[in-house]
Amino acid sequence: KDLINNKVRIDGRDSKTIRPIESEVNLLPNTHGSSLFTRGETQVIVVATLGGASDEQIVDSIEKKTKKESFTLQYSFPKYSVGEIGPMKAPGRREIGHGKLAWRAMQSVLPKKEDFPYSIRVTSEVTESNGSSSMATVCGASLALMDAGVPIKSPVAGIAMGLIKENSEHIILSDILGDEDHLGDMDFKVTGTEVGITALQMDIKTDGIDIELMQSSLEQAKEGRLHILHEMNKTISERKDVVNKNAPAIKILTINKDKIRDIIGPGGKIIKDICEKTSSKIDISDDVTVNVIGINSDSLEKAIEMINNIVGEAEINKIYDGTIVKIMESGAFVNFFGTQDGFLHISEISTKRIENIKDALDMGQKIKVKYIGNDNRGKAKLSIKQINDDAENKKNDEIENINIKPEIININQDVSENDSIEKVQTKSPTSKRWNQPQNKLQNKPSSASADVTEEQKNQPVTKEVKHFN
């Protein structure tokens, strides 16, 4: 009753004031995303972890079949957060309920699986509590996800509203303390973005509340929620451009179902080999999509390259690096495209005749081969000879391009009587291109040169020049 009359709360605040807020991201540098959110005497540390499809949570249900959740949120409320001691036990009913509320608050702003193929786990540990640690978890989860690079649609904040009711009088409280929750008549939790509500939860100790009181509570909660979002935006207002460097790199591939067995191999031999060589993980779902997860981008690209070499098709007339895996009298089998082998006939090794193939090739030898097509049984045919032919043709083309006949010949060069003479048409000395002195044979001054008319100057002049064979 004193609170209703004086409008002053236990800690000196009025009914609408929010406790001081501090926040920080990247608190734990080796995690994928982390945050520290403090509001008054309530504080949480939140960690976001990204994984692949195999890291999704398996959920058993009585009504439905087993399903997987790509987003999980774990809320932990250790006894030390309220100054108590005791053994660490499995989560209780309260912790599970608070975690599910925070999960619902964040679920609606998460990206679709097609746009962001990661599984997401958020862990919140309450380090200090004096009211509304679940709403602090929502704020901390929003900050940690943005720090991890998860493209959430908008930041989310939460606030706990209280109610003190005395007969016909009442007062609505924003951001309640633990004592106000214990002694008050309502604990109304509201979470949402700047444009709407994402989750609600109400605990009341009275017989009920009317629509007018509900509306007033929501309007006051919106004011408090926008204030909290404003304070959070000072730390981080949108997700980072890329996922954290510590997070795995993931790509989803759609593979022809007939090729899936080629990726797996006998007894899983091939898929295990890819995972070991590239430090990656490969998950194949029932809808024939393949999730490739690498510890970094380099690991991911190597794994994808190995998969493409298995399921891809070699290009005709393209040169590949190959390894000789079997030698026969008529030729050799060469592994040249992932797990695909081709046959290199003895006649396709060299332009020269080869009597014994073992004189030209060795087992395990690394060679370059050209894929020239398939035989009538669908087996790949390879050639070394055609690579050399292509190189020789290219070399000849380059030589022909160098041997270009000269268009302009230095006419200052002496011309002897024994030289072969050819008459060619050249430009008039009055042309802009004619800047060279005349041939020595015509350097002698002519008495009639002064009488040359303009019309004669513009006529083509016949010159005698050397002919180069």
Side-chain angles (χ1 to χ4, degrees), residues 146-210:
M146 288 189 286
D147 181 51
V150 179
I152 62 175
K153 298 172 184 176
S154 182
V156 180
I159 186 171
M161 307 298 295
L163 174 68
I164 302 297
K165 192 173 183 181
E166 188 70 22
N167 298 326
S168 60
E169 296 182 296
H170 69 271
I171 184 171
I172 300 171
L173 306 176
S174 298
D175 183 24
I176 58 176
L177 300 170
D179 288 337
E180 291 171 336
D181 180 15
H182 179 69
L183 300 173
D185 297 309
M186 178 181 73
D187 179 11
F188 185 29
K189 296 180 173 68
V190 184
T191 68
T193 66
E194 291 182 348
V195 297
I197 294 172
T198 59
L200 294 172
Q201 178 178 294
M202 176 181 282
D203 299 325
I204 55 174
K205 300 173 185 176
T206 62
D207 295 335
I209 58 173
D210 54 30

Coordinates of all heavy atoms in Angstrom, one line a residue, residues 146-210:
M146 N 24.4 -12.4 -32.6 CA 24.9 -11.4 -33.6 C 26.5 -11.4 -33.6 O 27.1 -11.2 -34.6 CB 24.4 -10.0 -33.2 CG 22.9 -9.8 -33.5 SD 22.4 -8.1 -33.3 CE 22.3 -7.9 -31.5
D147 N 27.1 -11.6 -32.4 CA 28.5 -11.7 -32.3 C 29.0 -12.9 -33.1 O 30.1 -12.8 -33.7 CB 28.9 -11.8 -30.8 CG 30.4 -11.8 -30.7 OD1 31.2 -11.0 -31.2 OD2 30.9 -12.7 -30.0
A148 N 28.3 -14.0 -33.1 CA 28.7 -15.2 -33.9 C 28.5 -15.1 -35.4 O 29.0 -15.9 -36.1 CB 27.9 -16.4 -33.4
G149 N 27.7 -14.0 -35.8 CA 27.5 -13.8 -37.2 C 26.2 -14.5 -37.7 O 26.0 -14.6 -38.9
V150 N 25.3 -14.9 -36.8 CA 24.0 -15.5 -37.2 C 23.1 -14.4 -37.7 O 22.9 -13.4 -37.0 CB 23.4 -16.2 -36.0 CG1 22.0 -16.8 -36.4 CG2 24.3 -17.3 -35.4
P151 N 22.6 -14.5 -38.9 CA 21.8 -13.4 -39.5 C 20.3 -13.4 -38.9 O 19.4 -13.7 -39.6 CB 21.8 -13.7 -41.0 CG 21.9 -15.2 -41.0 CD 22.8 -15.6 -39.9
I152 N 20.2 -13.0 -37.6 CA 18.9 -12.9 -37.0 C 18.2 -11.7 -37.7 O 18.8 -10.7 -38.1 CB 18.9 -12.7 -35.5 CG1 19.7 -11.5 -35.1 CG2 19.5 -14.0 -34.9 CD1 19.7 -11.2 -33.6
K153 N 16.8 -11.7 -37.7 CA 16.1 -10.7 -38.4 C 16.1 -9.4 -37.7 O 16.1 -8.3 -38.3 CB 14.6 -11.2 -38.6 CG 14.5 -12.4 -39.4 CD 13.1 -13.0 -39.3 CE 13.0 -14.3 -40.1 NZ 11.6 -14.9 -40.0
S154 N 16.2 -9.4 -36.4 CA 16.2 -8.2 -35.6 C 16.6 -8.6 -34.1 O 16.4 -9.7 -33.7 CB 14.8 -7.5 -35.5 OG 14.9 -6.3 -34.8
P155 N 17.3 -7.7 -33.4 CA 17.6 -7.9 -32.0 C 16.4 -8.1 -31.2 O 15.3 -7.5 -31.5 CB 18.4 -6.7 -31.6 CG 18.9 -6.1 -32.9 CD 17.9 -6.4 -33.9
V156 N 16.5 -8.9 -30.1 CA 15.4 -9.2 -29.3 C 15.8 -8.8 -27.8 O 16.9 -9.1 -27.4 CB 15.0 -10.7 -29.3 CG1 13.8 -11.0 -28.4 CG2 14.6 -11.0 -30.8
A157 N 14.8 -8.2 -27.1 CA 15.0 -7.9 -25.7 C 13.8 -8.4 -24.9 O 12.7 -8.6 -25.5 CB 15.2 -6.4 -25.5
G158 N 14.0 -8.6 -23.6 CA 12.9 -9.1 -22.7 C 12.8 -8.2 -21.5 O 13.8 -7.7 -21.0
I159 N 11.6 -8.1 -20.9 CA 11.4 -7.4 -19.7 C 10.3 -8.1 -18.9 O 9.4 -8.7 -19.4 CB 11.0 -5.9 -20.0 CG1 10.9 -5.1 -18.7 CG2 9.7 -5.9 -20.8 CD1 10.7 -3.6 -19.0
A160 N 10.5 -8.0 -17.5 CA 9.5 -8.6 -16.6 C 8.7 -7.5 -16.0 O 9.3 -6.6 -15.4 CB 10.2 -9.5 -15.6
M161 N 7.4 -7.6 -16.1 CA 6.5 -6.6 -15.6 C 5.9 -7.2 -14.3 O 5.6 -8.4 -14.2 CB 5.4 -6.3 -16.6 CG 6.0 -5.8 -17.9 SD 7.0 -4.3 -17.9 CE 5.7 -3.2 -17.3
G162 N 5.7 -6.3 -13.3 CA 5.0 -6.7 -12.0 C 3.7 -5.9 -11.8 O 3.4 -4.9 -12.5
L163 N 3.0 -6.3 -10.8 CA 1.7 -5.7 -10.4 C 1.6 -5.7 -8.9 O 1.7 -6.7 -8.3 CB 0.6 -6.4 -11.1 CG -0.8 -6.0 -10.7 CD1 -1.1 -4.6 -11.3 CD2 -1.9 -6.9 -11.3
I164 N 1.2 -4.6 -8.4 CA 0.8 -4.5 -7.0 C -0.6 -4.0 -7.0 O -0.9 -2.9 -7.5 CB 1.7 -3.5 -6.2 CG1 3.2 -3.9 -6.3 CG2 1.3 -3.4 -4.8 CD1 3.5 -5.2 -5.7
K165 N -1.5 -4.8 -6.4 CA -2.9 -4.5 -6.5 C -3.4 -4.5 -5.0 O -3.2 -5.4 -4.3 CB -3.6 -5.5 -7.3 CG -5.1 -5.2 -7.6 CD -5.6 -6.2 -8.6 CE -7.0 -5.9 -9.0 NZ -7.6 -6.9 -9.9
E166 N -4.1 -3.4 -4.7 CA -4.7 -3.2 -3.4 C -6.1 -2.7 -3.6 O -6.4 -1.6 -3.9 CB -3.9 -2.2 -2.6 CG -4.3 -2.1 -1.1 CD -4.0 -3.4 -0.3 OE1 -3.1 -4.1 -0.7 OE2 -4.6 -3.6 0.7
N167 N -7.1 -3.6 -3.4 CA -8.5 -3.3 -3.6 C -8.7 -2.9 -5.0 O -8.4 -3.5 -6.0 CB -9.0 -2.3 -2.6 CG -8.9 -2.8 -1.2 OD1 -9.1 -4.0 -0.9 ND2 -8.6 -2.0 -0.2
S168 N -9.2 -1.6 -5.2 CA -9.4 -1.1 -6.6 C -8.2 -0.4 -7.1 O -8.3 0.0 -8.3 CB -10.7 -0.2 -6.5 OG -10.4 0.9 -5.7
E169 N -7.2 -0.2 -6.3 CA -6.0 0.5 -6.8 C -5.0 -0.5 -7.2 O -4.9 -1.6 -6.6 CB -5.5 1.4 -5.7 CG -6.5 2.5 -5.3 CD -5.9 3.4 -4.2 OE1 -5.6 2.9 -3.1 OE2 -5.6 4.6 -4.5
H170 N -4.1 -0.1 -8.1 CA -3.0 -0.9 -8.6 C -1.9 -0.1 -9.2 O -2.1 1.1 -9.5 CB -3.5 -1.9 -9.6 CG -3.9 -1.3 -10.9 ND1 -5.2 -0.8 -11.2 CD2 -3.2 -1.0 -12.1 CE1 -5.2 -0.3 -12.4 NE2 -4.0 -0.4 -12.9
I171 N -0.7 -0.7 -9.3 CA 0.4 0.0 -10.0 C 1.2 -1.1 -10.7 O 1.4 -2.2 -10.2 CB 1.3 0.7 -8.9 CG1 2.4 1.5 -9.7 CG2 1.9 -0.2 -7.9 CD1 3.2 2.4 -8.7
I172 N 1.5 -0.7 -11.9 CA 2.3 -1.7 -12.8 C 3.8 -1.3 -12.7 O 4.1 -0.1 -12.8 CB 1.8 -1.6 -14.3 CG1 0.3 -1.9 -14.4 CG2 2.7 -2.5 -15.2 CD1 -0.3 -1.7 -15.7
L173 N 4.6 -2.3 -12.5 CA 6.0 -2.1 -12.3 C 6.8 -2.7 -13.5 O 6.5 -3.7 -14.0 CB 6.5 -2.8 -11.0 CG 5.8 -2.4 -9.7 CD1 6.3 -3.3 -8.6 CD2 5.9 -0.9 -9.4
S174 N 7.8 -1.9 -13.9 CA 8.7 -2.4 -15.0 C 10.0 -2.9 -14.4 O 10.6 -2.3 -13.5 CB 9.0 -1.2 -16.0 OG 7.9 -0.8 -16.6
D175 N 10.6 -4.0 -15.0 CA 11.8 -4.6 -14.6 C 11.8 -4.8 -13.1 O 12.5 -4.2 -12.3 CB 13.0 -3.6 -15.0 CG 14.4 -4.2 -14.6 OD1 14.5 -5.4 -14.5 OD2 15.3 -3.4 -14.4
I176 N 11.1 -5.8 -12.7 CA 10.9 -6.1 -11.2 C 12.1 -6.8 -10.6 O 12.9 -7.5 -11.3 CB 9.6 -7.0 -11.0 CG1 9.7 -8.3 -11.8 CG2 8.4 -6.2 -11.4 CD1 8.6 -9.2 -11.5
L177 N 12.2 -6.5 -9.3 CA 13.3 -7.2 -8.5 C 12.8 -8.5 -8.0 O 11.6 -8.9 -8.1 CB 13.6 -6.3 -7.3 CG 14.2 -4.9 -7.6 CD1 14.2 -4.1 -6.2 CD2 15.5 -5.0 -8.2
G178 N 13.7 -9.3 -7.4 CA 13.3 -10.6 -6.8 C 12.2 -10.4 -5.7 O 11.2 -11.2 -5.7
D179 N 12.3 -9.4 -4.9 CA 11.3 -9.2 -3.8 C 10.0 -8.8 -4.4 O 8.9 -9.2 -3.9 CB 11.8 -8.2 -2.8 CG 13.0 -8.7 -2.0 OD1 13.1 -10.0 -1.8 OD2 13.7 -7.9 -1.4
E180 N 10.0 -8.0 -5.5 CA 8.8 -7.5 -6.1 C 8.1 -8.7 -6.8 O 6.8 -8.7 -6.8 CB 9.1 -6.4 -7.1 CG 9.5 -5.1 -6.4 CD 10.0 -4.1 -7.3 OE1 10.5 -4.4 -8.5 OE2 10.0 -2.9 -7.0
D181 N 8.9 -9.6 -7.3 CA 8.3 -10.8 -7.9 C 7.7 -11.7 -6.8 O 6.6 -12.2 -6.9 CB 9.4 -11.6 -8.6 CG 8.9 -12.9 -9.3 OD1 7.6 -13.0 -9.4 OD2 9.7 -13.7 -9.6
H182 N 8.4 -11.8 -5.6 CA 7.9 -12.7 -4.5 C 6.7 -12.1 -3.9 O 5.7 -12.8 -3.5 CB 9.0 -12.9 -3.5 CG 8.7 -13.7 -2.4 ND1 8.4 -15.1 -2.5 CD2 8.5 -13.4 -1.0 CE1 8.1 -15.5 -1.3 NE2 8.1 -14.5 -0.4
L183 N 6.6 -10.8 -3.6 CA 5.6 -10.2 -2.9 C 4.5 -9.6 -3.7 O 3.4 -9.3 -3.2 CB 6.1 -9.0 -2.0 CG 7.2 -9.4 -1.0 CD1 7.8 -8.2 -0.3 CD2 6.6 -10.4 0.1
G184 N 4.7 -9.4 -5.0 CA 3.7 -8.8 -5.9 C 2.7 -9.8 -6.4 O 2.7 -11.0 -6.0
D185 N 1.8 -9.3 -7.2 CA 0.6 -10.0 -7.6 C 0.8 -10.6 -9.1 O -0.1 -11.3 -9.5 CB -0.7 -9.2 -7.6 CG -1.0 -8.8 -6.1 OD1 -1.0 -9.6 -5.3 OD2 -1.1 -7.5 -5.9
M186 N 1.8 -10.2 -9.8 CA 2.0 -10.6 -11.2 C 3.4 -10.7 -11.6 O 4.2 -9.8 -11.2 CB 1.2 -9.7 -12.1 CG 1.3 -10.0 -13.6 SD 0.4 -8.9 -14.7 CE 1.4 -7.4 -14.6
D187 N 3.8 -11.6 -12.4 CA 5.1 -11.7 -13.1 C 4.8 -11.9 -14.5 O 4.4 -13.0 -15.0 CB 5.9 -12.8 -12.5 CG 7.3 -12.9 -13.2 OD1 7.6 -12.0 -13.9 OD2 8.0 -13.9 -13.0
F188 N 4.8 -10.8 -15.3 CA 4.4 -10.8 -16.7 C 5.7 -10.6 -17.5 O 6.2 -9.5 -17.6 CB 3.4 -9.7 -16.9 CG 2.8 -9.7 -18.3 CD1 2.7 -10.9 -19.1 CD2 2.3 -8.5 -18.8 CE1 2.1 -10.8 -20.3 CE2 1.8 -8.5 -20.1 CZ 1.7 -9.6 -20.8
K189 N 6.1 -11.6 -18.2 CA 7.4 -11.5 -19.0 C 7.0 -11.3 -20.5 O 6.2 -12.0 -21.1 CB 8.2 -12.8 -18.9 CG 8.7 -13.0 -17.5 CD 9.6 -14.3 -17.4 CE 10.2 -14.5 -16.0 NZ 9.2 -14.7 -15.0
V190 N 7.6 -10.3 -21.1 CA 7.3 -9.9 -22.5 C 8.7 -9.8 -23.2 O 9.6 -9.1 -22.8 CB 6.6 -8.6 -22.6 CG1 6.2 -8.2 -24.0 CG2 5.3 -8.6 -21.7
T191 N 8.8 -10.5 -24.4 CA 10.0 -10.4 -25.2 C 9.6 -9.9 -26.6 O 8.5 -10.2 -27.1 CB 10.7 -11.7 -25.3 OG1 9.9 -12.6 -26.0 CG2 11.0 -12.3 -23.9
G192 N 10.5 -9.2 -27.3 CA 10.2 -8.8 -28.6 C 11.2 -7.9 -29.2 O 12.2 -7.6 -28.6
T193 N 11.0 -7.5 -30.5 CA 11.8 -6.6 -31.2 C 11.3 -5.2 -31.2 O 10.3 -4.9 -30.4 CB 11.9 -7.1 -32.7 OG1 10.7 -6.9 -33.3 CG2 12.4 -8.6 -32.8
E194 N 11.8 -4.3 -32.0 CA 11.3 -3.0 -32.0 C 9.9 -2.9 -32.7 O 9.1 -2.0 -32.4 CB 12.2 -2.1 -32.8 CG 13.6 -1.8 -32.2 CD 14.4 -0.9 -33.0 OE1 14.1 -0.6 -34.1 OE2 15.4 -0.4 -32.4
V195 N 9.5 -3.9 -33.4 CA 8.2 -3.9 -34.1 C 7.2 -4.9 -33.6 O 6.0 -4.8 -34.0 CB 8.5 -4.2 -35.6 CG1 9.3 -3.1 -36.3 CG2 9.1 -5.5 -35.9
G196 N 7.5 -5.8 -32.7 CA 6.5 -6.7 -32.3 C 7.0 -7.6 -31.1 O 8.2 -7.6 -30.8
I197 N 6.0 -8.4 -30.6 CA 6.3 -9.3 -29.5 C 6.6 -10.7 -30.1 O 6.0 -11.2 -31.0 CB 5.1 -9.4 -28.6 CG1 4.9 -8.0 -27.9 CG2 5.2 -10.5 -27.5 CD1 3.5 -7.9 -27.2
T198 N 7.6 -11.4 -29.5 CA 7.9 -12.7 -29.9 C 7.5 -13.8 -28.9 O 7.4 -15.0 -29.2 CB 9.5 -12.8 -30.1 OG1 10.2 -12.5 -28.9 CG2 9.9 -11.9 -31.2
A199 N 7.3 -13.4 -27.6 CA 6.9 -14.4 -26.6 C 6.3 -13.7 -25.4 O 6.7 -12.6 -25.0 CB 8.1 -15.3 -26.2
L200 N 5.4 -14.4 -24.7 CA 4.8 -13.9 -23.5 C 4.7 -15.0 -22.5 O 4.6 -16.2 -22.8 CB 3.3 -13.4 -23.8 CG 3.1 -12.2 -24.7 CD1 1.6 -12.0 -25.0 CD2 3.7 -10.9 -24.0
Q201 N 4.7 -14.6 -21.2 CA 4.5 -15.6 -20.1 C 4.0 -14.8 -18.9 O 4.6 -13.8 -18.5 CB 5.7 -16.4 -19.7 CG 5.5 -17.3 -18.6 CD 6.7 -18.1 -18.3 OE1 7.2 -19.0 -19.1 NE2 7.3 -17.9 -17.1
M202 N 2.9 -15.3 -18.3 CA 2.3 -14.6 -17.2 C 2.0 -15.5 -16.0 O 1.5 -16.6 -16.2 CB 1.0 -13.9 -17.6 CG 0.3 -13.2 -16.5 SD -1.3 -12.4 -16.9 CE -0.7 -11.0 -17.7
D203 N 2.5 -15.1 -14.9 CA 2.1 -15.8 -13.6 C 1.4 -14.7 -12.8 O 1.9 -13.6 -12.5 CB 3.4 -16.2 -12.8 CG 4.2 -17.2 -13.7 OD1 3.6 -18.0 -14.4 OD2 5.5 -17.2 -13.6
I204 N 0.2 -15.1 -12.3 CA -0.6 -14.1 -11.5 C -1.0 -14.8 -10.2 O -1.2 -16.0 -10.1 CB -1.8 -13.6 -12.2 CG1 -2.7 -14.7 -12.8 CG2 -1.4 -12.7 -13.4 CD1 -4.0 -14.3 -13.4
K205 N -1.2 -14.0 -9.2 CA -1.6 -14.5 -7.9 C -3.0 -14.0 -7.5 O -3.5 -14.4 -6.5 CB -0.6 -14.1 -6.8 CG 0.8 -14.6 -7.0 CD 1.8 -14.0 -6.0 CE 3.2 -14.4 -6.3 NZ 4.2 -13.8 -5.4
T206 N -3.5 -13.2 -8.3 CA -4.9 -12.7 -8.1 C -5.9 -13.6 -8.9 O -5.5 -14.5 -9.6 CB -5.0 -11.2 -8.6 OG1 -4.8 -11.2 -10.0 CG2 -4.1 -10.3 -7.9
D207 N -7.2 -13.2 -8.7 CA -8.2 -14.0 -9.4 C -8.1 -13.8 -11.0 O -8.7 -14.6 -11.7 CB -9.6 -13.7 -8.9 CG -9.8 -14.1 -7.5 OD1 -9.0 -15.0 -7.0 OD2 -10.6 -13.5 -6.8
G208 N -7.5 -12.7 -11.4 CA -7.5 -12.4 -12.8 C -7.3 -10.9 -13.0 O -7.3 -10.1 -12.1
I209 N -7.0 -10.5 -14.3 CA -6.9 -9.1 -14.7 C -7.8 -8.9 -15.8 O -8.1 -9.7 -16.7 CB -5.4 -8.8 -15.0 CG1 -4.9 -9.6 -16.2 CG2 -4.5 -8.9 -13.8 CD1 -3.5 -9.2 -16.7
D210 N -8.2 -7.6 -15.9 CA -9.1 -7.3 -17.0 C -8.3 -6.8 -18.2 O -7.1 -6.7 -18.2 CB -10.1 -6.2 -16.6 CG -9.4 -4.9 -16.0 OD1 -8.3 -4.7 -16.4 OD2 -10.0 -4.3 -15.1

